[in-house]
């Protein structure tokens, strides 16, 4: 789902189909990234244009299409929880960034609408 494209879930690497994405980056402070315009901008540029990617952001960029299409089958619970936090903030407070990411990774709005409905059911205010 689209929720993976967001910044704090930059902790994923390629793995075999039966495995989960790595938990190596589970301690990344996603609130710090979202709250820092410079960091957030760097992650967004990497995801959208492939510019100046850090190793973790580059890995996210590589696996993102698969994760979106599979509904994040390989995600751990931590990945999902952090992604929900990020998406909630981006949808409510930074819609211009959210819209850029959707245009890049979900131009037909197939996955983003499903995820938005899921967030609402779980009590997020989107």
């Amino acid at each position: 789902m689209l929720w993976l494209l967001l910044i704090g879930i930059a902790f994923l690497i390629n793995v075999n189909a039966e495995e989960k994405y790595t938990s190596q980056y589970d301690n990344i402070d996603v609130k710090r990234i979202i709250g820092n315009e410079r960091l957030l901008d760097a992650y967004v540029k990497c995801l959208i244009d492939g510019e100046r990617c850090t190793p973790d952001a580059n890995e996210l960029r590589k696996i993102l299409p698969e994760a979106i299409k599979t509904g994040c089958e390989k995600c751990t619970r931590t990945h999902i929880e952090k992604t929900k936090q990020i998406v909630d903030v981006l949808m409510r407070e930074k819609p211009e960034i959210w819209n850029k990411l959707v245009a890049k990774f979900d131009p037909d709005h197939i996955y983003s609408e499903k995820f938005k409905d899921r967030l609402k059911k779980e009590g997020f205010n989107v």
Side-chain angles (χ1 to χ4, degrees), residues 16-107:
N16 294 329
E18 303 81 32
E19 298 175 357
K20 296 285 186 186
Y21 296 120
T22 185
S23 60
Q24 178 179 355
Y25 302 107
D26 280 2
N27 293 323
I28 287 178
D29 186 351
V30 295
K31 289 180 183 178
R32 181 176 154 261
I33 294 169
I34 292 172
N36 182 313
E37 291 298 320
R38 184 186 57 78
L39 284 175
L40 182 58
D41 186 54
Y43 275 88
V44 171
K45 283 182 180 176
C46 173
L47 291 173
I48 292 175
D49 302 321
E51 294 180 13
R52 299 183 181 174
C53 296
T54 61
D56 56 328
N58 195 46
E59 287 301 325
L60 175 61
R61 190 170 191 273
K62 287 179 187 177
I63 62 91
L64 197 52
E66 173 193 85
I68 291 170
K69 288 179 183 169
T70 65
C72 205
E73 290 176 351
K74 297 178 188 177
C75 293
T76 66
R77 190 71 194 153
T78 300
H79 299 153
I80 292 168
E81 290 303 316
K82 287 189 177 204
T83 299
K84 287 177 188 175
Q85 294 171 8
I86 295 164
V87 171
D88 181 50
V89 170
L90 291 179
M91 284 180 161
R92 286 184 300 106
E93 298 175 19
K94 301 186 181 295
E96 68 286 351
I97 293 174
W98 175 254
N99 291 333
K100 285 181 188 178
L101 294 170
V102 170
K104 171 74 177 184
F105 293 100
D106 188 21

Side-chain angles (χ1 to χ4, degrees), residues 100-122:
K100 285 181 188 178
L101 294 170
V102 170
K104 171 74 177 184
F105 293 100
D106 188 21
D108 296 326
H109 299 272
I110 296 168
Y111 307 104
S112 56
E113 289 304 314
K114 287 180 185 178
F115 188 63
K116 193 179 214 180
D117 291 341
R118 182 176 178 180
L119 284 176
K120 286 178 183 177
K121 286 179 185 175
E122 294 186 22

